[in-house]
């Protein structure tokens, strides 16, 4: 079997360090799928990326068939089958939202264009770097020849956080929980929805009191990233890498029967989310494609929260449009 080429941007960063070893060990695509890694970094971080590559060599992973390190996006994405866009411009003190979007446009636009020009026909893109949904939109807009559905953004970490918070509350295992959903943006406006989540055949929202759901569960999940930064002094890295592995693994290999997961994918207009926005939905993966789970009833409590997060995505899209980034 020909190795699958996996390109990781921001490879020398902290998520990269937690991610690359798991890809090389077979956890991204499967224990029988050989991989070639391509590490894209900016020039000051190339040396650190080389150090990580040395450590990857030192693991003697049977599935790892090669590593390339480059600061040239054209080379990095040449023939790529999977692209994990992790490197991004973080928000720094005094930076306005428009500045942040513009700085990231300067990264994700050219990377989208390089994917358009050089990637393999089956390219699948997961954007991790924040603001992930809108960065994915920018990359997608720069890649008109790649089917739009191949551009996705990560809300799987939020999904996993929600599973874990609920399991702790109900004193059950995460494996007892199915049909969790994160809606909207990977930001503090996201909406983790327990109204379709099942625990031992019952609906989770009926197993917890409304005050806990509203005042504890939703804000804890939505603000977990900030809580990790406050505790660790750095943003989530191993858990973010874990979620990236879960997202791509399920995209390629399918989601289990009877369950779904969450991913930010281009909207087809389902659930009133404007077409084209890259928003988180309940999704299944079948034959290598994400599909939005249809037919869920949305009550007014959920509607208000989905709409608020989607509105934020609309504003981000309008801002990058105004900057001519899409
Ligand atoms: N969607 C999600 O759930 C999560 C997203 N994140 C986001 O992931 C991103 C990366 O996080 P960390 O690895 O902790 O950051 P980091 O700062 O440790 O690493 C980022 C790396 O990206 C590189 N980089 C910057 N510009 C680049 C470019 N144009 N091309 C290639 N590489 C470039 C930097 O040199 C650095 O090595 C951040 O934007 C963070 O906010 C983090 C956690 C969860
Ligand atoms: O804000 C950040 O950089 C980290 C993040 O997205 C998260 O942990 O969900």
């Amino acid at each position: 079997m020909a190795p699958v080429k996996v390109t990781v941007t921001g490879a020398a960063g902290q998520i990269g360090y937690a991610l690359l070893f798991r890809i090389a060990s077979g956890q991204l695509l499967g224990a029988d799928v050989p991989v070639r890694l391509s590490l894209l970094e900016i020039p000051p971080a190339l040396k650190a990326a080389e150090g990580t590559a040395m450590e990857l060599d030192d693991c003697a992973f049977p599935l790892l068939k090669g590593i390339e390190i480059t600061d040239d996006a054209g080379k990095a994405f040449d023939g790529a089958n999977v692209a994990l866009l992790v490197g991004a411009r973080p928000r720094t003190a005094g930076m306005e939202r428009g500045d942040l979007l513009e700085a990231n446009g300067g990264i994700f636009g050219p990377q989208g264009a390089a994917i358009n020009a050089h990637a393999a026909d089956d390219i699948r893109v997961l954007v991790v770097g924040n603001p992930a949904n809108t960065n994915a939109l920018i990359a997608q807009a720069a890649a008109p020849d790649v089917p739009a559905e191949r551009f996705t953004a990560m809300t799987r970490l939020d999904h996993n956080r929600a599973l874990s918070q609920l399991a702790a509350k109900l004193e059950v295992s995460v494996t007892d929980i199915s049909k969790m959903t994160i809606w909207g943006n990977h930001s503090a406006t996201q909406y983790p929805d327990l109204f379709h989540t099942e625990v031992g055949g019952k609906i989770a929202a009926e197993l917890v009191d409304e005050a806990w759901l509203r005042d504890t569960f939703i804000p804890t999940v939505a603000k977990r990233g900030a809580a990790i930064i406050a505790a660790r002094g750095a943003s989530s890295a191993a858990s973010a890498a874990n979620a990236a592995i879960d997202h791509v693994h399920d995209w390629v290999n399918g989601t289990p029967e009877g369950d779904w997961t969450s991913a930010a994918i281009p909207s087809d207009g389902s659930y009133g989310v404007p077409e084209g926005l890259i928003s988180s939905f309940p999704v299944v993966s079948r034959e290598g494609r994400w599909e939005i789970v249809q037919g869920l009833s949305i009550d007014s409590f959920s509607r208000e929260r989905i709409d608020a997060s989607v509105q934020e995505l609309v504003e981000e899209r309008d801002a990058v449009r105004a900057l001519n980034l899409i």
Side-chain angles (χ1 to χ4, degrees), residues 130 157-158 161 186 225 229 235-236:
N130 281 319
L157 177 55
D158 311 295
R161 287 166 170 165
H186 171 69
I229 292 170
S235 60
S236 303

Side-chain angles (χ1 to χ4, degrees), residues 9-16 40-42 45 86-88 107 111 127-130 132 154 157-158 186 235-237 240:
T9 75
Q14 49 152 4
I15 294 176
L40 179 65
E41 260 296 352
I42 51 174
V86 179
I107 296 174
Q111 289 181 359
V127 175
V128 175
N130 281 319
M154 192 166 92
L157 177 55
D158 311 295
H186 171 69
S235 60
S236 303

Side-chain angles (χ1 to χ4, degrees), residues 142-161:
D145 304 326
V146 177
E149 67 191 38
R150 305 289 184 75
F151 285 85
T152 66
M154 192 166 92
T155 52
R156 186 62 171 263
L157 177 55
D158 311 295
H159 179 96
N160 289 343
R161 287 166 170 165

Side-chain angles (χ1 to χ4, degrees), residues 87-170:
R89 173 75 164 80
R91 190 192 289 263
T92 40
M95 211 173 178
E96 297 296 329
R97 190 179 62 165
D99 303 332
L100 182 72
L101 292 170
E102 192 159 24
N104 279 295
I107 296 174
F108 288 86
Q111 289 181 359
I115 287 169
N116 196 55
H118 301 287
D121 287 346
D122 67 348
I123 182 71
R124 288 182 172 86
V125 182
L126 170 63
V127 175
V128 175
N130 281 319
N133 302 53
T134 297
N135 287 341
L137 198 63
I138 293 169
Q140 181 201 66
D145 304 326
V146 177
E149 67 191 38
R150 305 289 184 75
F151 285 85
T152 66
M154 192 166 92
T155 52
R156 186 62 171 263
L157 177 55
D158 311 295
H159 179 96
N160 289 343
R161 287 166 170 165
L163 287 176
S164 181
Q165 292 297 322
L166 181 65
K169 170 72 175 172
L170 296 177

Side-chain angles (χ1 to χ4, degrees), residues 6-324:
V6 181
T7 303
V8 178
T9 75
Q14 49 152 4
I15 294 176
Y17 194 72
L19 184 59
L20 292 165
F21 298 85
R22 296 190 59 186
I23 300 172
S25 71
Q27 293 178 60
L28 186 78
L29 299 166
D32 54 353
V33 183
V35 291
R36 277 192 301 133
L37 282 171
S38 179
L39 316 187
L40 179 65
E41 260 296 352
I42 51 174
L46 285 173
K47 190 139 187 67
E50 279 166 24
T52 304
M54 288 161 70
E55 283 201 76
L56 284 161
D57 282 340
D58 294 351
C59 294
F61 286 118
L63 292 171
L64 183 57
K65 301 303 177 194
I67 310 172
E68 70 180 11
I69 303 162
T70 180
D71 60 359
D72 177 338
K75 269 192 207 147
F77 293 115
D78 188 32
N81 308 102
V82 176
L84 299 169
L85 307 189
V86 179
R89 173 75 164 80
R91 190 192 289 263
T92 40
M95 211 173 178
E96 297 296 329
R97 190 179 62 165
D99 303 332
L100 182 72
L101 292 170
E102 192 159 24
N104 279 295
I107 296 174
F108 288 86
Q111 289 181 359
I115 287 169
N116 196 55
H118 301 287
D121 287 346
D122 67 348
I123 182 71
R124 288 182 172 86
V125 182
L126 170 63
V127 175
V128 175
N130 281 319
N133 302 53
T134 297
N135 287 341
L137 198 63
I138 293 169
Q140 181 201 66
D145 304 326
V146 177
E149 67 191 38
R150 305 289 184 75
F151 285 85
T152 66
M154 192 166 92
T155 52
R156 186 62 171 263
L157 177 55
D158 311 295
H159 179 96
N160 289 343
R161 287 166 170 165
L163 287 176
S164 181
Q165 292 297 322
L166 181 65
K169 170 72 175 172
L170 296 177
E171 299 181 352
V172 299
S173 163
V174 288
T175 55
D176 296 326
I177 305 174
S178 62
K179 302 182 179 173
M180 178 65 73
T181 304
I182 304 292
W183 297 93
N185 200 1
H186 171 69
S187 76
T189 68
Q190 68 177 268
Y191 173 50
D193 178 354
L194 294 185
F195 289 90
H196 304 96
T197 306
E198 294 177 8
V199 185
K202 299 201 173 87
I203 293 296
E206 289 166 11
L207 298 174
V208 297
D209 58 87
E210 201 195 318
W212 180 81
L213 190 159
R214 189 188 54 234
D215 302 331
T216 302
F217 174 73
I218 294 173
T220 300
V221 173
K223 295 179 189 162
R224 184 72 166 179
I228 299 287
I229 292 170
R232 221 172 76 82
S235 60
S236 303
S239 56
N242 178 70
I245 297 274
D246 285 350
H247 177 115
V248 173
H249 182 276
D250 285 358
W251 193 357
V252 172
N253 296 298
T255 42
E257 275 307 317
D259 199 1
W260 67 63
T261 188
S262 305
I265 67 171
S267 176
D268 61 359
S270 295
Y271 298 103
V273 179
E275 202 175 333
L277 277 189
I278 298 185
S279 183
S280 189
F281 288 99
V283 290
V284 293
S285 165
R286 300 276 177 262
E287 293 170 11
R289 294 168 71 117
W290 290 118
E291 294 169 13
I292 298 171
V293 175
Q294 296 296 332
L296 302 180
S297 58
I298 308 294
D299 68 6
S300 58
F301 180 92
S302 295
R303 187 76 262 166
E304 193 184 309
R305 286 163 176 79
I306 295 170
D307 287 351
S309 195
V310 168
Q311 181 54 31
E312 185 182 49
L313 286 173
V314 168
E315 286 165 17
E316 289 183 15
R317 180 198 61 194
D318 292 349
V320 295
R321 237 184 222 158
L323 291 164
N324 289 322

